[in-house]
Amino acid sequence: MTKKELVQYVEDHRDELITLVSQLIQIKSENPIGTQRDVVDFVEAFLKDAGIEYKETGCNPDYPCVVAGYGTDMGFSLIINGHVDVVPAGDLSQWDFNPFSGEITDTQILGRGTSDMKAGVAGVLFALSLFAGKQVPLHGNIRLHIVSDEESGGQFGTQWLCANGYGEHADACLVAEPTSMNTIEIGQKGGLLLKIKSYGKSAHGSLGDFKGENAILKLSKVLSHVSLLSKIEGHFSERQIKPLMDSKLLAERENHIPGLGRVIDHVSTNVGLIQGGTRHNMVPDYCEATVDVRLPIGVNKEEIDETLKQILEISGVEGVEYELQYKSDANFTDHEAPIVLAFKENAEHLLGKEVIPAYQWASSDARDYRKLGIPTIQFGPSNTVGIHSYNETVQIEDVVTAAKIYVAAICDLMEIK
Ligand SMILES: [Zn+2]
């Protein structure tokens, strides 16, 4: 089959693809609650039906990984990755529809995981089954990585696959995470957890202003200066300036928040957790806060450490210390890497508009592949509104177009004319 025929096949069989998304939505796979067994069984049954050999692997039987492949050892080796776990539906009364019905309307598929990211998973499964089912001769191979742990950190999923040789000799990777059809993710921020601990002296609460040392008040003085961290700017190379500028413009345009572009190239902080004190009538002798700190490209732990020392000094309090728990570096793929260009060209052709390679603020499994030096992109259908929130949906048209783009880009990378 030619590239054109393969893309047309997706169009002609769009109902199968839509049904596949709906079926995946109907299988509960909330993480960390619930089980991933049912959704993994479904993926395995799908592969079996398509005549594709697969292997279940991983390090935690509650969060298995499934790997499969098609093609030859010669040529371009492309990993396609998707996670089948979803964040919990949460308060059901906040939903306008049953999050697990997988209902298909005229324009949308409804439910938890439609955008993040069962539509993307359906797209890569559909693409692989098409190439394998039609025995399309590839100059290279497609390697499927389906994981069931992404939403709780990914240690049993992609992280494990990458640490255990499954990324070896790959030339590129597509993570089918939600990006919308306007952008291809080519980089993301890193992060660390900052724990600030404040020590005081206990006393009777009735002597609050006269005796003891209030650990909560001391900590609050430090917290009021934590936003100084957000003044730290990333360090981008000359080559990265264009994608950086594009990313900032895109972020503001898509989210309608003036100034939001700053989040791409600056540190951001979120004081997310605070714990302290024992009772209202005791002067608290201990309080701690946890701050989520996100790092733009080029900013390391040392730079954060330096500014934190300044913050403590400015706050003028004694008996406050901090700990930094490093999570990941910011990471990126060159905006003209072959995988980026293959997706950009085909996306623009099929969508009839510009599709922008961009850096984003959230992090994902893409970092694990990039850590191995594999040029990696994220690209998948999504409606941003309901992701990790209520009323999650995806546009049917985007699901179909994304699958066509996957197929077309694979054709280019594997020399199918
Ligand atoms: Zn996701």
CSV table of all heavy atoms in Angstrom, one decimal, residues 83 116 150-151 177, ligand 1:
chain,number,residue,atom,x,y,z
A,83,HIS,N,0.2,5.9,27.6
A,83,HIS,CA,-0.2,5.3,28.9
A,83,HIS,C,-1.7,5.1,29.0
A,83,HIS,O,-2.5,5.9,28.5
A,83,HIS,CB,0.3,6.2,30.1
A,83,HIS,CG,-0.3,7.6,30.2
A,83,HIS,ND1,-1.6,7.7,30.8
A,83,HIS,CD2,0.1,8.8,29.8
A,83,HIS,CE1,-1.9,9.0,30.8
A,83,HIS,NE2,-0.9,9.7,30.2
A,116,ASP,N,-6.5,12.6,27.8
A,116,ASP,CA,-5.3,12.2,28.5
A,116,ASP,C,-5.4,10.7,28.9
A,116,ASP,O,-5.7,10.4,30.0
A,116,ASP,CB,-5.0,13.1,29.7
A,116,ASP,CG,-3.6,12.8,30.3
A,116,ASP,OD1,-2.9,12.0,29.7
A,116,ASP,OD2,-3.4,13.4,31.4
A,150,GLU,N,1.7,6.3,34.6
A,150,GLU,CA,2.2,7.6,34.2
A,150,GLU,C,1.7,8.6,35.2
A,150,GLU,O,2.5,9.5,35.6
A,150,GLU,CB,1.8,7.9,32.7
A,150,GLU,CG,2.7,9.1,32.1
A,150,GLU,CD,2.2,10.5,32.5
A,150,GLU,OE1,1.0,10.6,32.9
A,150,GLU,OE2,2.9,11.4,32.4
A,151,GLU,N,0.5,8.5,35.5
A,151,GLU,CA,-0.2,9.6,36.3
A,151,GLU,C,0.3,9.6,37.7
A,151,GLU,O,0.1,10.6,38.4
A,151,GLU,CB,-1.7,9.4,36.2
A,151,GLU,CG,-2.3,9.5,34.9
A,151,GLU,CD,-2.2,10.9,34.3
A,151,GLU,OE1,-1.6,11.8,34.9
A,151,GLU,OE2,-2.6,11.1,33.1
A,177,GLU,N,0.8,11.8,23.9
A,177,GLU,CA,0.1,12.6,25.0
A,177,GLU,C,-0.6,13.8,24.3
A,177,GLU,O,-0.2,14.2,23.2
A,177,GLU,CB,1.2,13.1,25.9
A,177,GLU,CG,1.7,12.1,26.9
A,177,GLU,CD,0.9,12.0,28.2
A,177,GLU,OE1,-0.3,12.4,28.2
A,177,GLU,OE2,1.4,11.6,29.2
B,1,ZN,ZN,-1.0,11.8,30.1
